[in-house]
Amino acid sequence: TEIVPLENKIIFETLMLDPSYRTKELALFRLCNSFPNESGAYLKQTDKIIGLNDKSFRTTWLQLAYRSKAYNASEKDVFFNELLAYADVTYESSVRQNALEVLLRLAPNDERVIELLFKATVHHKWQFTLFARTKIRALLQDATYRQKVAQLAENAPSEIKILYFKFLNENN
């Protein structure tokens, strides 16, 4: 991401007051990455904002808060669990995809993230399943990830085991 020059910091802080959730989200992201020592204040200012139906603002907020030094480990666990909840089958595909994209940046080898990604491959919206299949195939190129999925497949319930092996056995 581009760093906000110090002389433009006030402009970006003003953008956090904009009525557009997308503008606020971009401003928050850039400010937190440009001024990490002040990220706690920016995150506190915006911690109640959910955003539009896809929860894009909230998932960005959770990512930034998870990475911020302003929060302790137990708070970060709460943030991570909220992202996991958004990635679950109870949410609409756009919410799930936003959450999965963040979770894959934070902890791609987490068992829960892996399972949620594989479950996304059987959704009724083809765009969402394409996203999940593409991510899985790219991740399986990494030997460590492939080994982790193979280990999970051994003890997984049959419905998810089938999904794991489906992708593990591609092109073999």
Side-chain angles (χ1 to χ4, degrees), residues 37-67:
N37 292 336
E38 297 175 56
S39 67
Y42 298 131
L43 291 164
K44 186 166 179 49
Q45 178 185 342
T46 55
D47 67 351
K48 301 289 186 245
I49 300 172
I50 301 296
L52 300 173
N53 290 343
D54 66 357
K55 298 190 187 304
S56 174
F57 187 95
R58 184 65 181 168
T59 55
T60 296
W61 188 95
L62 290 165
Q63 173 186 343
L64 293 167
Y66 185 83
R67 289 182 170 164

Side-chain angles (χ1 to χ4, degrees), residues 9 22-23 45 70 75-76 115 121 165 171:
K9 181 179 172 195
R22 187 69 183 138
T23 301
Q45 178 185 342
E75 290 169 309
K76 290 179 183 204
E115 182 176 335
T121 65
F165 280 120
N171 302 321

Side-chain angles (χ1 to χ4, degrees), residues 104-170:
L104 289 169
R105 283 191 289 274
L106 298 177
N109 293 329
D110 184 284
E111 295 177 17
R112 299 162 296 177
V113 174
I114 293 169
E115 182 176 335
L116 289 166
L117 181 62
F118 275 80
K119 283 182 177 179
T121 65
V122 293
H123 194 270
H124 65 276
K125 288 192 176 174
W126 71 268
Q127 300 94 328
F128 184 48
T129 62
L130 178 62
F131 155 80
R133 290 190 316 263
T134 302
K135 289 287 185 187
I136 289 167
R137 287 177 179 128
L139 289 164
L140 286 174
Q141 298 300 309
D142 176 66
T144 304
Y145 189 85
R146 178 174 278 283
Q147 182 180 0
K148 178 78 173 179
V149 173
Q151 288 171 342
L152 291 173
E154 294 301 322
N155 300 315
S158 62
E159 119 189 8
I160 192 77
K161 180 183 281 204
I162 291 166
L163 289 175
Y164 289 151
F165 280 120
K166 173 187 172 187
F167 286 93
L168 286 169
N169 293 328
E170 280 184 350

Side-chain angles (χ1 to χ4, degrees), residues 5-39:
L6 189 56
E7 61 270 14
N8 292 343
K9 181 179 172 195
I10 191 80
I11 295 168
F12 277 81
E13 290 173 342
T14 304
L15 290 173
M16 294 226 318
L17 304 173
D18 192 89
S20 163
Y21 290 123
R22 187 69 183 138
T23 301
K24 285 179 189 174
E25 179 183 346
L26 292 169
L28 176 65
F29 189 82
R30 297 269 307 271
L31 285 167
C32 286
N33 286 318
S34 299
F35 307 101
N37 292 336
E38 297 175 56
S39 67

